[in-house]
Every structure is written in structure tokens, then in C-alpha cells.
Amino acid sequence: MASILMVASEGLPFVKTGGLADVVGSLPVALSEIGHEVKVVLPLYKKIAENNFQDLTLCADYTVSINYHEVPVRIYSQTIDKVAYFFVQHQGYFERDALYGYEDDGERFAYFQKAVIEMLNQLNYWPNIIHCHDWQSGMIPCMIKETHDFDPRYRQIRFVYTIHNLAFQGNFGPQMLDSCLGLPYYLLDNGNVRYDGGISFMKSGILYSDKITTVSPTYSQEILTPQYGEHLELVLNMRKYDLWGIVNGIDTKNWNPKTDPDIPYHFDKVNLKAGKALDKASLQAELGLEQNPDVMLVGVVSRLTWQKGFYLMMEQLSAFANAPIQLAILGSGESQI
């Protein structure tokens, strides 16, 4: 069985903005249940500090170089359901109101990735596999292979890179290559990390990882095309024989209608109709809708973006208007989709 370190920018049960957190929350538990040793490392965000700090244990204290200065790092840990979680603390970078969307996001997550790489040395922990998720951890395979290849402890590590959302690529100016990542400029010259005049964390993850995965077999084929490749289709085609689509699973413990505390009436496959009908009527009442069992009630919780396919629904609004249907939509996102 393998020793696996998952590196991500969010994950349940601690913090979530999207589907990435669901995967990082569920996959480690599932892998540990079949015998793998799985650890997860996340930034210590404000929400985690407020809700969980009293349960964390300090396990390392060191520095990494960012913008030619030695910046302190503290690593905290907590074990839940046989999975050890590590948290990279830097109050200035991570204890903010939101997880992303800041001008210094590149610097923040360069710091995070450098901290993770040095954490291995500080804790004398050497996983067989580092599983990186999305652009916020995409430079780790590159930094280890380009700057730590002399060390056999780092050299034996293999890398899996999972693309959850290809549209967010971590594209930044070329000066970050040296100042924050500590990488040589020839990587810009030879094209390994170059993208649109700057650098791309996601492109680096695709090129330097041993295997690349996406959230479904269909999506793994779609992103090889100009229509869905988000301008990285040529890079992905270079690695298409190492690109795998694995369907995102579902956490059957948290999303179990037989035990879910967030619904008023429970049901399973035996009493499916009665329970669902009562929950439907309850939701209609809560939202001030007509409590009609014959009306189709469609509920959606999502980011309201073009990428999620809401334009398809907009195109069919006239058909919806003529049908007995109720729409309940909860989300945030783009003002125009």
C-alpha cells in the first residue's frame, strides 16, 4: 500500500468553496479505508483558525524564501478518521475573509507550495505519491524536480495532478519565477512553465506530473479540444497518454437521505416516495411556493457561471414557462451568463 500526501487549497471538513473540497474531504478517507496511508495539507485559513485552532498541534516551525526574504512557516496538524491533516500557517497570507481573489494570490500559493516541500524535510516524512489539486499546487512537481533532484528522498516521489477546473490556471507574471518560486529563468525560455508571456502554475502541473487526472472520462477527452481546452489543449495533448478521467465519487455517509440531519423527513430505497414527497412539500412551503405534488420542483446549488451550463437553461426558458415547473436556485457568480 502507498503513502500519499494530498496538497490542496481547500478541503472538507474544514473549508469549502466548491467541488474540490468535496473530493479532498472524501477521497483520503476512502483510500485510507482500503489500506493506504493518506495525509492532507491545506492552508490555515481564517475560518479554520477560528473554528479548529484549539484542536491543532504545532509540529514544525521554519522559514522559506519569498521575495528574497525568509518568511516564517508554522505547520499544525490534526488527525480525523485515520487521515492526518497538516495546516500551513501564515496569518497575513491566509487569515483573510475569502480564500481566493486577491492580487497576491500567486505569491500566497507560491509560499504555500514552498512550505509544503520543506515540510517533508522538517517532518522527515517521505510519501510515495504527492497528489496535487488544481493550480494552487501545480508548481510542486516542477520545484521538486528542478531544485531538489539531487536529494534521493525527494527524487523517489511520484506526482499525480488532478484538474478540477481548467478555467482557473494560476497565470502570473514571469518575475515570480525567481522571486517567489526560486526557479531558474531557463524554464521560461524553454517553455516548460511559460504561458502568454508569463508563467502558468497549471501548465507546470500538467507537464511535470507523472499522471494527470480529471473529474470524469468525458471531461478528459473534452479538454483535448479547442472548445473546452481553455487554451491548454495543446499542452494536454502532449500528455494525453498519461491523462485519465476518473468520475468524482459521492460521500455516501454525508449525502445519505436516511440519516441526513438537514432534511426534515428521511427516506431510503424502500420508502422512497413517501419521504421525498414530504421533503418536497416542506421545501415548497419554506420557499413560499405552491404546495402541489404534481409540479416538478428542480433545485440547483451551484456557481452561476457559463461553465456550469446555465446558458442552456436560459435558452429553454420559454419551454419552462409553459410547463408546470418550479425552480429553486441557490448560488453566486457571474452577473451575466
Short mmCIF file of all heavy atoms in Angstrom, two decimals, residues 75-139:
data_model
loop_
_atom_site.label_atom_id
_atom_site.label_comp_id
_atom_site.label_asym_id
_atom_site.label_seq_id
_atom_site.Cartn_x
_atom_site.Cartn_y
_atom_site.Cartn_z
N ILE A 75 3.64 24.78 10.93
CA ILE A 75 2.81 23.67 10.50
C ILE A 75 2.07 23.10 11.71
O ILE A 75 2.69 22.76 12.72
CB ILE A 75 3.64 22.54 9.85
CG1 ILE A 75 4.43 23.08 8.65
CG2 ILE A 75 2.73 21.38 9.43
CD1 ILE A 75 3.58 23.54 7.48
N TYR A 76 0.75 23.03 11.58
CA TYR A 76 -0.09 22.43 12.61
C TYR A 76 -0.71 21.16 12.05
O TYR A 76 -0.79 20.98 10.82
CB TYR A 76 -1.17 23.41 13.05
CG TYR A 76 -0.66 24.58 13.85
CD1 TYR A 76 -0.18 25.72 13.21
CD2 TYR A 76 -0.65 24.55 15.24
CE1 TYR A 76 0.30 26.80 13.94
CE2 TYR A 76 -0.18 25.63 15.97
CZ TYR A 76 0.29 26.74 15.32
OH TYR A 76 0.78 27.81 16.05
N SER A 77 -1.18 20.30 12.94
CA SER A 77 -1.75 19.04 12.47
C SER A 77 -2.94 18.61 13.33
O SER A 77 -3.09 19.03 14.48
CB SER A 77 -0.70 17.93 12.46
OG SER A 77 -0.29 17.62 13.77
N GLN A 78 -3.76 17.77 12.73
CA GLN A 78 -4.88 17.13 13.42
C GLN A 78 -5.23 15.87 12.65
O GLN A 78 -5.17 15.84 11.42
CB GLN A 78 -6.10 18.06 13.47
CG GLN A 78 -7.31 17.46 14.20
CD GLN A 78 -8.52 18.38 14.18
OE1 GLN A 78 -8.54 19.38 13.48
NE2 GLN A 78 -9.55 18.04 14.95
N THR A 79 -5.59 14.80 13.36
CA THR A 79 -5.97 13.54 12.73
C THR A 79 -7.46 13.30 12.92
O THR A 79 -7.98 13.38 14.04
CB THR A 79 -5.17 12.36 13.30
OG1 THR A 79 -3.78 12.58 13.07
CG2 THR A 79 -5.59 11.05 12.65
N ILE A 80 -8.14 13.01 11.80
CA ILE A 80 -9.58 12.72 11.81
C ILE A 80 -9.81 11.51 10.92
O ILE A 80 -9.37 11.49 9.76
CB ILE A 80 -10.41 13.91 11.30
CG1 ILE A 80 -10.17 15.16 12.16
CG2 ILE A 80 -11.89 13.57 11.28
CD1 ILE A 80 -10.88 16.40 11.64
N ASP A 81 -10.50 10.50 11.43
CA ASP A 81 -10.83 9.31 10.65
C ASP A 81 -9.60 8.70 9.98
O ASP A 81 -9.61 8.38 8.77
CB ASP A 81 -11.89 9.63 9.58
CG ASP A 81 -13.24 9.98 10.18
OD1 ASP A 81 -13.53 9.50 11.29
OD2 ASP A 81 -13.99 10.75 9.54
N LYS A 82 -8.52 8.57 10.73
CA LYS A 82 -7.27 7.95 10.27
C LYS A 82 -6.51 8.78 9.24
O LYS A 82 -5.49 8.35 8.73
CB LYS A 82 -7.53 6.55 9.70
CG LYS A 82 -8.11 5.56 10.69
CD LYS A 82 -8.29 4.20 10.04
CE LYS A 82 -8.88 3.19 11.03
NZ LYS A 82 -9.08 1.86 10.41
N VAL A 83 -7.01 9.97 8.93
CA VAL A 83 -6.32 10.86 7.99
C VAL A 83 -5.68 11.99 8.77
O VAL A 83 -6.35 12.69 9.54
CB VAL A 83 -7.30 11.42 6.93
CG1 VAL A 83 -6.56 12.39 6.00
CG2 VAL A 83 -7.94 10.29 6.14
N ALA A 84 -4.37 12.18 8.57
CA ALA A 84 -3.66 13.28 9.22
C ALA A 84 -3.74 14.52 8.34
O ALA A 84 -3.41 14.47 7.15
CB ALA A 84 -2.20 12.90 9.46
N TYR A 85 -4.18 15.63 8.92
CA TYR A 85 -4.28 16.90 8.20
C TYR A 85 -3.20 17.84 8.72
O TYR A 85 -3.05 18.03 9.92
CB TYR A 85 -5.66 17.53 8.42
CG TYR A 85 -6.79 16.72 7.82
CD1 TYR A 85 -7.40 15.70 8.56
CD2 TYR A 85 -7.24 16.95 6.52
CE1 TYR A 85 -8.44 14.94 8.02
CE2 TYR A 85 -8.28 16.21 5.98
CZ TYR A 85 -8.86 15.20 6.73
OH TYR A 85 -9.88 14.45 6.18
N PHE A 86 -2.46 18.43 7.77
CA PHE A 86 -1.48 19.45 8.10
C PHE A 86 -2.00 20.80 7.61
O PHE A 86 -2.68 20.89 6.58
CB PHE A 86 -0.13 19.16 7.44
CG PHE A 86 0.51 17.88 7.90
CD1 PHE A 86 0.60 16.78 7.05
CD2 PHE A 86 1.04 17.77 9.18
CE1 PHE A 86 1.19 15.61 7.46
CE2 PHE A 86 1.64 16.60 9.61
CZ PHE A 86 1.70 15.51 8.75
N PHE A 87 -1.64 21.85 8.34
CA PHE A 87 -2.08 23.19 8.00
C PHE A 87 -0.89 24.13 8.00
O PHE A 87 -0.12 24.17 8.98
CB PHE A 87 -3.13 23.68 9.01
CG PHE A 87 -4.33 22.79 9.09
CD1 PHE A 87 -4.38 21.77 10.03
CD2 PHE A 87 -5.39 22.95 8.22
CE1 PHE A 87 -5.48 20.93 10.11
CE2 PHE A 87 -6.50 22.12 8.28
CZ PHE A 87 -6.54 21.10 9.23
N VAL A 88 -0.74 24.87 6.91
CA VAL A 88 0.35 25.84 6.77
C VAL A 88 -0.16 27.19 7.27
O VAL A 88 -1.10 27.77 6.70
CB VAL A 88 0.80 25.96 5.30
CG1 VAL A 88 1.86 27.05 5.16
CG2 VAL A 88 1.32 24.62 4.80
N GLN A 89 0.46 27.69 8.33
CA GLN A 89 0.00 28.94 8.93
C GLN A 89 0.84 30.13 8.47
O GLN A 89 2.07 30.10 8.53
CB GLN A 89 0.07 28.88 10.46
CG GLN A 89 -0.51 30.14 11.12
CD GLN A 89 -0.15 30.28 12.58
OE1 GLN A 89 1.01 30.12 12.95
NE2 GLN A 89 -1.14 30.57 13.42
N HIS A 90 0.19 31.13 7.97
CA HIS A 90 0.75 32.47 7.77
C HIS A 90 -0.43 33.41 7.84
O HIS A 90 -1.26 33.47 6.93
CB HIS A 90 1.47 32.59 6.43
CG HIS A 90 2.20 33.90 6.27
ND1 HIS A 90 1.53 35.11 6.12
CD2 HIS A 90 3.52 34.20 6.26
CE1 HIS A 90 2.42 36.08 5.99
NE2 HIS A 90 3.63 35.55 6.07
N GLN A 91 -0.54 34.15 8.91
CA GLN A 91 -1.73 34.96 9.14
C GLN A 91 -1.94 35.99 8.05
O GLN A 91 -3.07 36.23 7.61
CB GLN A 91 -1.64 35.63 10.51
CG GLN A 91 -1.72 34.64 11.67
CD GLN A 91 -1.57 35.32 13.02
OE1 GLN A 91 -0.75 36.23 13.19
NE2 GLN A 91 -2.35 34.87 13.99
N GLY A 92 -0.87 36.61 7.56
CA GLY A 92 -1.00 37.63 6.53
C GLY A 92 -1.50 37.08 5.21
O GLY A 92 -2.30 37.72 4.52
N TYR A 93 -1.05 35.89 4.85
CA TYR A 93 -1.45 35.30 3.57
C TYR A 93 -2.82 34.64 3.61
O TYR A 93 -3.58 34.72 2.64
CB TYR A 93 -0.42 34.25 3.14
CG TYR A 93 0.87 34.81 2.57
CD1 TYR A 93 2.10 34.20 2.84
CD2 TYR A 93 0.87 35.93 1.73
CE1 TYR A 93 3.28 34.68 2.31
CE2 TYR A 93 2.04 36.42 1.20
CZ TYR A 93 3.25 35.80 1.49
OH TYR A 93 4.41 36.29 0.96
N PHE A 94 -3.15 33.99 4.70
CA PHE A 94 -4.31 33.10 4.69
C PHE A 94 -5.46 33.49 5.61
O PHE A 94 -6.58 33.06 5.38
CB PHE A 94 -3.87 31.67 5.01
CG PHE A 94 -2.87 31.13 4.03
CD1 PHE A 94 -1.67 30.58 4.48
CD2 PHE A 94 -3.10 31.18 2.67
CE1 PHE A 94 -0.73 30.09 3.59
CE2 PHE A 94 -2.17 30.70 1.76
CZ PHE A 94 -0.98 30.15 2.22
N GLU A 95 -5.21 34.26 6.63
CA GLU A 95 -6.32 34.59 7.53
C GLU A 95 -7.04 35.84 7.03
O GLU A 95 -6.99 36.92 7.61
CB GLU A 95 -5.80 34.74 8.97
CG GLU A 95 -5.33 33.41 9.52
CD GLU A 95 -5.04 33.43 11.01
OE1 GLU A 95 -5.62 34.27 11.72
OE2 GLU A 95 -4.21 32.61 11.45
N ARG A 96 -7.72 35.65 5.91
CA ARG A 96 -8.48 36.69 5.23
C ARG A 96 -9.93 36.24 5.11
O ARG A 96 -10.26 35.08 5.35
CB ARG A 96 -7.89 36.98 3.86
CG ARG A 96 -6.41 37.35 3.88
CD ARG A 96 -5.88 37.64 2.50
NE ARG A 96 -4.44 37.92 2.49
CZ ARG A 96 -3.73 38.27 1.42
NH1 ARG A 96 -4.36 38.38 0.24
NH2 ARG A 96 -2.44 38.50 1.50
N ASP A 97 -10.79 37.15 4.68
CA ASP A 97 -12.21 36.84 4.62
C ASP A 97 -12.54 35.82 3.53
O ASP A 97 -13.48 35.04 3.67
CB ASP A 97 -13.03 38.11 4.40
CG ASP A 97 -12.98 39.04 5.62
OD1 ASP A 97 -12.76 38.54 6.74
OD2 ASP A 97 -13.15 40.26 5.43
N ALA A 98 -11.80 35.83 2.43
CA ALA A 98 -12.04 34.90 1.32
C ALA A 98 -10.80 34.03 1.10
O ALA A 98 -9.70 34.37 1.54
CB ALA A 98 -12.39 35.66 0.05
N LEU A 99 -11.00 32.93 0.38
CA LEU A 99 -9.88 32.03 0.11
C LEU A 99 -9.06 32.51 -1.08
O LEU A 99 -7.82 32.42 -1.07
CB LEU A 99 -10.40 30.62 -0.17
CG LEU A 99 -10.63 29.70 1.02
CD1 LEU A 99 -11.63 30.26 2.00
CD2 LEU A 99 -11.08 28.32 0.54
N TYR A 100 -9.74 33.03 -2.10
CA TYR A 100 -9.07 33.43 -3.34
C TYR A 100 -9.56 34.81 -3.78
O TYR A 100 -10.45 35.38 -3.19
CB TYR A 100 -9.37 32.42 -4.47
CG TYR A 100 -9.40 30.98 -4.06
CD1 TYR A 100 -10.58 30.22 -4.16
CD2 TYR A 100 -8.26 30.35 -3.57
CE1 TYR A 100 -10.62 28.89 -3.79
CE2 TYR A 100 -8.29 29.01 -3.20
CZ TYR A 100 -9.47 28.29 -3.30
OH TYR A 100 -9.51 26.98 -2.93
N GLY A 101 -8.93 35.29 -4.86
CA GLY A 101 -9.39 36.53 -5.46
C GLY A 101 -8.59 37.74 -5.08
O GLY A 101 -9.05 38.88 -5.27
N TYR A 102 -7.37 37.55 -4.57
CA TYR A 102 -6.52 38.66 -4.16
C TYR A 102 -5.39 38.88 -5.18
O TYR A 102 -4.97 37.95 -5.87
CB TYR A 102 -5.92 38.39 -2.78
CG TYR A 102 -6.97 38.25 -1.69
CD1 TYR A 102 -7.41 37.00 -1.27
CD2 TYR A 102 -7.54 39.38 -1.10
CE1 TYR A 102 -8.38 36.87 -0.29
CE2 TYR A 102 -8.51 39.26 -0.11
CZ TYR A 102 -8.92 38.00 0.30
OH TYR A 102 -9.88 37.89 1.27
N GLU A 103 -4.90 40.11 -5.24
CA GLU A 103 -3.85 40.44 -6.20
C GLU A 103 -2.57 39.64 -5.95
O GLU A 103 -1.79 39.41 -6.88
CB GLU A 103 -3.54 41.94 -6.15
CG GLU A 103 -4.65 42.81 -6.71
CD GLU A 103 -4.26 44.28 -6.77
OE1 GLU A 103 -3.13 44.60 -6.34
OE2 GLU A 103 -5.08 45.09 -7.24
N ASP A 104 -2.34 39.23 -4.72
CA ASP A 104 -1.13 38.49 -4.41
C ASP A 104 -1.37 36.99 -4.31
O ASP A 104 -0.61 36.27 -3.65
CB ASP A 104 -0.50 39.00 -3.11
CG ASP A 104 -1.40 38.81 -1.90
OD1 ASP A 104 -2.61 38.56 -2.08
OD2 ASP A 104 -0.89 38.90 -0.76
N ASP A 105 -2.40 36.48 -4.99
CA ASP A 105 -2.68 35.05 -4.94
C ASP A 105 -1.48 34.22 -5.39
O ASP A 105 -1.21 33.14 -4.84
CB ASP A 105 -3.90 34.70 -5.80
CG ASP A 105 -5.21 34.88 -5.04
OD1 ASP A 105 -5.18 35.23 -3.85
OD2 ASP A 105 -6.27 34.67 -5.66
N GLY A 106 -0.77 34.69 -6.40
CA GLY A 106 0.39 33.95 -6.86
C GLY A 106 1.45 33.82 -5.78
O GLY A 106 2.01 32.74 -5.56
N GLU A 107 1.71 34.92 -5.10
CA GLU A 107 2.68 34.91 -4.01
C GLU A 107 2.20 34.04 -2.85
O GLU A 107 2.97 33.28 -2.26
CB GLU A 107 2.93 36.34 -3.52
CG GLU A 107 3.94 36.46 -2.40
CD GLU A 107 4.18 37.91 -2.00
OE1 GLU A 107 4.21 38.77 -2.91
OE2 GLU A 107 4.33 38.17 -0.80
N ARG A 108 0.92 34.15 -2.54
CA ARG A 108 0.36 33.37 -1.42
C ARG A 108 0.54 31.87 -1.64
O ARG A 108 0.97 31.13 -0.75
CB ARG A 108 -1.14 33.67 -1.26
CG ARG A 108 -1.46 35.11 -0.87
CD ARG A 108 -2.95 35.37 -0.99
NE ARG A 108 -3.71 34.63 0.02
CZ ARG A 108 -4.88 34.05 -0.21
NH1 ARG A 108 -5.42 34.09 -1.43
NH2 ARG A 108 -5.51 33.42 0.76
N PHE A 109 0.21 31.41 -2.86
CA PHE A 109 0.26 29.98 -3.09
C PHE A 109 1.65 29.50 -3.51
O PHE A 109 1.94 28.30 -3.43
CB PHE A 109 -0.83 29.57 -4.06
CG PHE A 109 -2.19 29.62 -3.41
CD1 PHE A 109 -3.03 30.71 -3.61
CD2 PHE A 109 -2.58 28.63 -2.53
CE1 PHE A 109 -4.27 30.78 -2.97
CE2 PHE A 109 -3.82 28.69 -1.89
CZ PHE A 109 -4.66 29.76 -2.11
N ALA A 110 2.52 30.41 -3.94
CA ALA A 110 3.93 30.06 -4.06
C ALA A 110 4.49 29.76 -2.68
O ALA A 110 5.22 28.77 -2.47
CB ALA A 110 4.71 31.19 -4.73
N TYR A 111 4.15 30.61 -1.73
CA TYR A 111 4.56 30.38 -0.34
C TYR A 111 4.02 29.06 0.18
O TYR A 111 4.74 28.26 0.80
CB TYR A 111 4.05 31.54 0.52
CG TYR A 111 4.12 31.29 2.01
CD1 TYR A 111 5.27 31.57 2.73
CD2 TYR A 111 3.01 30.77 2.70
CE1 TYR A 111 5.33 31.34 4.11
CE2 TYR A 111 3.06 30.54 4.06
CZ TYR A 111 4.22 30.83 4.76
OH TYR A 111 4.29 30.58 6.12
N PHE A 112 2.75 28.79 -0.07
CA PHE A 112 2.12 27.55 0.39
C PHE A 112 2.87 26.34 -0.15
O PHE A 112 3.19 25.40 0.59
CB PHE A 112 0.66 27.54 -0.06
CG PHE A 112 -0.05 26.24 0.17
CD1 PHE A 112 -0.24 25.75 1.46
CD2 PHE A 112 -0.56 25.51 -0.90
CE1 PHE A 112 -0.92 24.56 1.68
CE2 PHE A 112 -1.24 24.32 -0.69
CZ PHE A 112 -1.42 23.84 0.60
N GLN A 113 3.18 26.36 -1.45
CA GLN A 113 3.84 25.21 -2.06
C GLN A 113 5.28 25.04 -1.58
O GLN A 113 5.74 23.91 -1.33
CB GLN A 113 3.79 25.35 -3.58
CG GLN A 113 2.37 25.25 -4.13
CD GLN A 113 2.29 25.59 -5.60
OE1 GLN A 113 2.38 24.72 -6.46
NE2 GLN A 113 2.12 26.87 -5.91
N LYS A 114 5.98 26.14 -1.42
CA LYS A 114 7.34 26.05 -0.86
C LYS A 114 7.30 25.50 0.56
O LYS A 114 8.15 24.69 0.95
CB LYS A 114 8.00 27.43 -0.87
CG LYS A 114 8.73 27.77 -2.16
CD LYS A 114 9.61 28.98 -1.94
CE LYS A 114 10.59 29.15 -3.08
NZ LYS A 114 11.51 30.30 -2.87
N ALA A 115 6.32 25.94 1.32
CA ALA A 115 6.19 25.47 2.70
C ALA A 115 5.93 23.97 2.73
O ALA A 115 6.46 23.25 3.60
CB ALA A 115 5.07 26.22 3.41
N VAL A 116 5.11 23.48 1.80
CA VAL A 116 4.81 22.04 1.75
C VAL A 116 6.06 21.24 1.41
O VAL A 116 6.33 20.19 2.02
CB VAL A 116 3.69 21.77 0.72
CG1 VAL A 116 3.53 20.27 0.49
CG2 VAL A 116 2.37 22.38 1.19
N ILE A 117 6.83 21.71 0.45
CA ILE A 117 8.04 20.99 0.04
C ILE A 117 9.02 20.88 1.19
O ILE A 117 9.60 19.82 1.46
CB ILE A 117 8.68 21.67 -1.18
CG1 ILE A 117 7.76 21.53 -2.40
CG2 ILE A 117 10.06 21.09 -1.48
CD1 ILE A 117 8.18 22.35 -3.60
N GLU A 118 9.24 21.97 1.91
CA GLU A 118 10.17 21.94 3.04
C GLU A 118 9.58 21.18 4.23
O GLU A 118 10.31 20.63 5.05
CB GLU A 118 10.55 23.36 3.45
CG GLU A 118 11.48 23.47 4.65
CD GLU A 118 12.79 22.71 4.49
OE1 GLU A 118 13.24 22.47 3.34
OE2 GLU A 118 13.38 22.36 5.54
N MET A 119 8.25 21.14 4.32
CA MET A 119 7.60 20.39 5.41
C MET A 119 8.04 18.93 5.40
O MET A 119 8.22 18.32 6.47
CB MET A 119 6.08 20.49 5.26
CG MET A 119 5.29 19.77 6.34
SD MET A 119 3.51 19.66 5.98
CE MET A 119 3.51 18.30 4.80
N LEU A 120 8.19 18.37 4.22
CA LEU A 120 8.61 16.96 4.13
C LEU A 120 9.94 16.75 4.84
O LEU A 120 10.13 15.78 5.59
CB LEU A 120 8.73 16.54 2.66
CG LEU A 120 7.52 16.78 1.76
CD1 LEU A 120 7.80 16.25 0.37
CD2 LEU A 120 6.28 16.13 2.34
N ASN A 121 10.87 17.66 4.61
CA ASN A 121 12.18 17.58 5.24
C ASN A 121 12.09 17.80 6.75
O ASN A 121 12.70 17.09 7.54
CB ASN A 121 13.12 18.60 4.60
CG ASN A 121 14.50 18.59 5.21
OD1 ASN A 121 15.13 17.54 5.33
ND2 ASN A 121 14.98 19.75 5.61
N GLN A 122 11.30 18.79 7.14
CA GLN A 122 11.19 19.13 8.55
C GLN A 122 10.57 17.99 9.37
O GLN A 122 10.96 17.74 10.51
CB GLN A 122 10.35 20.40 8.73
CG GLN A 122 11.00 21.66 8.16
CD GLN A 122 12.18 22.12 8.99
OE1 GLN A 122 12.20 22.00 10.21
NE2 GLN A 122 13.18 22.68 8.32
N LEU A 123 9.61 17.30 8.78
CA LEU A 123 8.92 16.22 9.49
C LEU A 123 9.52 14.85 9.20
O LEU A 123 9.08 13.85 9.76
CB LEU A 123 7.43 16.21 9.10
CG LEU A 123 6.62 17.46 9.40
CD1 LEU A 123 5.17 17.27 8.97
CD2 LEU A 123 6.69 17.83 10.88
N ASN A 124 10.53 14.84 8.31
CA ASN A 124 11.13 13.57 7.88
C ASN A 124 10.05 12.60 7.39
O ASN A 124 10.02 11.42 7.73
CB ASN A 124 11.94 12.92 9.00
CG ASN A 124 12.86 11.82 8.48
OD1 ASN A 124 13.29 11.84 7.32
ND2 ASN A 124 13.16 10.85 9.32
N TYR A 125 9.17 13.15 6.60
CA TYR A 125 8.03 12.40 6.05
C TYR A 125 8.19 12.35 4.53
O TYR A 125 8.20 13.40 3.87
CB TYR A 125 6.72 13.07 6.45
CG TYR A 125 5.53 12.69 5.61
CD1 TYR A 125 5.12 11.36 5.53
CD2 TYR A 125 4.80 13.65 4.91
CE1 TYR A 125 4.02 11.00 4.75
CE2 TYR A 125 3.70 13.30 4.15
CZ TYR A 125 3.32 11.97 4.07
OH TYR A 125 2.24 11.63 3.30
N TRP A 126 8.28 11.14 3.98
CA TRP A 126 8.57 10.99 2.56
C TRP A 126 7.52 10.10 1.89
O TRP A 126 7.66 8.87 1.85
CB TRP A 126 9.99 10.43 2.37
CG TRP A 126 10.99 11.28 3.07
CD1 TRP A 126 11.61 11.04 4.25
CD2 TRP A 126 11.42 12.58 2.65
NE1 TRP A 126 12.41 12.10 4.60
CE2 TRP A 126 12.33 13.06 3.63
CE3 TRP A 126 11.16 13.38 1.53
CZ2 TRP A 126 12.96 14.30 3.53
CZ3 TRP A 126 11.79 14.62 1.44
CH2 TRP A 126 12.67 15.06 2.42
N PRO A 127 6.47 10.69 1.39
CA PRO A 127 5.40 9.89 0.76
C PRO A 127 5.86 9.28 -0.56
O PRO A 127 6.79 9.77 -1.21
CB PRO A 127 4.30 10.94 0.52
CG PRO A 127 5.03 12.23 0.38
CD PRO A 127 6.21 12.14 1.31
N ASN A 128 5.19 8.21 -0.95
CA ASN A 128 5.45 7.63 -2.27
C ASN A 128 4.86 8.51 -3.37
O ASN A 128 5.44 8.62 -4.46
CB ASN A 128 4.82 6.23 -2.38
CG ASN A 128 5.26 5.30 -1.29
OD1 ASN A 128 4.46 4.84 -0.50
ND2 ASN A 128 6.56 5.03 -1.22
N ILE A 129 3.72 9.13 -3.08
CA ILE A 129 2.99 9.91 -4.07
C ILE A 129 2.56 11.24 -3.45
O ILE A 129 2.06 11.27 -2.32
CB ILE A 129 1.73 9.16 -4.56
CG1 ILE A 129 2.11 7.85 -5.24
CG2 ILE A 129 0.90 10.04 -5.51
CD1 ILE A 129 0.93 6.93 -5.48
N ILE A 130 2.78 12.32 -4.19
CA ILE A 130 2.16 13.60 -3.85
C ILE A 130 1.06 13.86 -4.87
O ILE A 130 1.31 13.90 -6.08
CB ILE A 130 3.17 14.76 -3.84
CG1 ILE A 130 4.19 14.56 -2.72
CG2 ILE A 130 2.45 16.09 -3.65
CD1 ILE A 130 5.21 15.68 -2.61
N HIS A 131 -0.15 14.01 -4.37
CA HIS A 131 -1.32 14.23 -5.23
C HIS A 131 -1.70 15.71 -5.14
O HIS A 131 -2.19 16.17 -4.11
CB HIS A 131 -2.47 13.34 -4.75
CG HIS A 131 -3.67 13.38 -5.66
ND1 HIS A 131 -4.73 12.52 -5.51
CD2 HIS A 131 -3.98 14.17 -6.73
CE1 HIS A 131 -5.64 12.78 -6.44
NE2 HIS A 131 -5.21 13.78 -7.19
N CYS A 132 -1.42 16.44 -6.22
CA CYS A 132 -1.67 17.88 -6.26
C CYS A 132 -3.00 18.17 -6.93
O CYS A 132 -3.38 17.49 -7.89
CB CYS A 132 -0.55 18.59 -7.03
SG CYS A 132 1.10 18.35 -6.34
N HIS A 133 -3.69 19.19 -6.43
CA HIS A 133 -5.02 19.53 -6.93
C HIS A 133 -5.06 20.98 -7.41
O HIS A 133 -4.77 21.91 -6.65
CB HIS A 133 -6.06 19.34 -5.83
CG HIS A 133 -6.22 17.92 -5.38
ND1 HIS A 133 -7.18 17.08 -5.88
CD2 HIS A 133 -5.51 17.20 -4.47
CE1 HIS A 133 -7.08 15.90 -5.30
NE2 HIS A 133 -6.08 15.94 -4.44
N ASP A 134 -5.44 21.16 -8.68
CA ASP A 134 -5.65 22.48 -9.28
C ASP A 134 -4.40 23.36 -9.23
O ASP A 134 -3.34 22.96 -8.77
CB ASP A 134 -6.88 23.15 -8.69
CG ASP A 134 -8.15 22.81 -9.47
OD1 ASP A 134 -8.05 22.19 -10.55
OD2 ASP A 134 -9.26 23.14 -9.01
N TRP A 135 -4.55 24.60 -9.70
CA TRP A 135 -3.36 25.43 -9.93
C TRP A 135 -2.63 25.78 -8.65
O TRP A 135 -1.41 26.00 -8.67
CB TRP A 135 -3.75 26.71 -10.68
CG TRP A 135 -4.50 27.74 -9.88
CD1 TRP A 135 -5.84 27.93 -9.83
CD2 TRP A 135 -3.93 28.75 -9.01
NE1 TRP A 135 -6.15 28.99 -9.00
CE2 TRP A 135 -5.01 29.51 -8.49
CE3 TRP A 135 -2.63 29.09 -8.64
CZ2 TRP A 135 -4.81 30.57 -7.60
CZ3 TRP A 135 -2.44 30.15 -7.75
CH2 TRP A 135 -3.52 30.87 -7.24
N GLN A 136 -3.32 25.82 -7.52
CA GLN A 136 -2.70 26.28 -6.28
C GLN A 136 -1.59 25.35 -5.79
O GLN A 136 -0.80 25.73 -4.92
CB GLN A 136 -3.76 26.42 -5.18
CG GLN A 136 -4.77 27.53 -5.44
CD GLN A 136 -6.00 27.04 -6.21
OE1 GLN A 136 -6.00 25.96 -6.80
NE2 GLN A 136 -7.06 27.83 -6.20
N SER A 137 -1.50 24.14 -6.36
CA SER A 137 -0.40 23.24 -6.01
C SER A 137 0.35 22.75 -7.24
O SER A 137 1.17 21.83 -7.16
CB SER A 137 -0.92 22.05 -5.21
OG SER A 137 -1.92 21.35 -5.93
N GLY A 138 0.09 23.38 -8.39
CA GLY A 138 0.63 22.90 -9.66
C GLY A 138 2.13 23.04 -9.83
O GLY A 138 2.73 22.34 -10.66
N MET A 139 2.79 23.92 -9.06
CA MET A 139 4.23 24.11 -9.21
C MET A 139 5.05 23.12 -8.38
O MET A 139 6.27 23.05 -8.53
CB MET A 139 4.61 25.54 -8.81
CG MET A 139 4.09 26.62 -9.71
SD MET A 139 4.59 26.50 -11.46
CE MET A 139 6.38 26.51 -11.32
#
